[in-house]
Amino acid sequence: MIRALLFLLLALPAWAQVAVPQLTARVTDLTGTLTREQTASLEQMLQSFEARKGSQITVLMVPTTEPEAIEQFALRVAEKWKIGRKNVDDGAILVVAKNDRAHIELSRQFHDREVDKEYVVLVWGVVQSERRIDAPIGRDPVHRLKMS
């Protein structure tokens, strides 16, 4: 009886892990967050990037990785999916876990200024001239909580 109980306790962490899904597309959204159009657009963008640069990028969105840390889950995904070219090591997997703990931790890191932020492009609307935006990002002068 004690051996069986000990076996169950040792095997429990493996049973509790979130299953790694099969790789069937560049974007796998198990949370239902993205619309079909958003998924298709992101798929096309990643496919185009791979065609231009050769590097493979995939996105996996899961509701949670608990009780496992997201880093450990991401390693299991990488081991199963094997993204990137052989002998080049140029693949990337973006794992997004939508849970409160992740939100709280990221909010804390932003508050404590532990996250380096780099804005590549942020546009709302249509860019008119020469497709170049040469303006600093800052607070709206009237609505201080908004960025302009």
Side-chain angles (χ1 to χ4, degrees):
M1 178 70 177
I2 293 176
R3 283 186 187 172
L5 184 57
L6 182 60
F7 173 76
L8 286 174
L9 289 175
L10 292 175
L12 187 59
W15 288 338
Q17 291 177 336
V18 174
V20 175
Q22 293 296 318
L23 176 61
T24 58
R26 288 176 179 84
V27 179
T28 304
D29 179 9
L30 302 178
T31 65
T33 301
L34 301 175
T35 64
R36 285 190 194 131
E37 294 79 18
Q38 290 170 325
T39 301
S41 175
L42 189 52
E43 282 273 348
Q44 177 59 41
M45 188 184 318
L46 295 175
Q47 182 179 17
S48 175
F49 180 83
E50 183 178 338
R52 284 191 331 272
K53 302 290 185 179
S55 302
Q56 295 177 324
I57 301 173
T58 60
V59 177
L60 172 59
M61 298 176 69
V62 294
T64 185
T65 64
E66 290 181 352
E68 187 176 24
I70 193 168
E71 297 88 354
Q72 291 301 315
F73 177 74
L75 283 174
R76 288 194 305 113
V77 173
E79 289 168 0
K80 183 172 181 178
W81 285 9
K82 300 185 186 326
I83 298 299
R85 294 178 286 184
K86 192 172 188 171
N87 299 325
V88 180
D89 195 26
D90 63 346
I93 302 171
L94 174 62
V95 177
V96 178
K98 292 180 58 173
N99 64 28
D100 291 337
R101 186 184 69 166
H103 172 74
I104 291 167
E105 178 62 17
L106 187 59
S107 296
R108 184 199 61 76
Q109 289 177 359
F110 273 111
H111 180 267
D112 294 345
R113 300 191 183 275
E114 295 175 3
V115 176
D116 292 328
K117 296 174 274 186
E118 181 179 328
Y119 298 95
V120 177
V121 65
L122 178 63
V123 176
W124 186 264
V126 178
V127 177
Q128 296 297 324
S129 65
E130 298 182 23
R131 298 180 184 215
R132 180 182 173 110
I133 299 172
D134 192 13
I137 296 176
R139 296 265 177 221
D140 185 287
V142 177
H143 304 289
R144 299 298 299 157
L145 296 178
K146 292 184 180 179
M147 299 300 283
S148 63

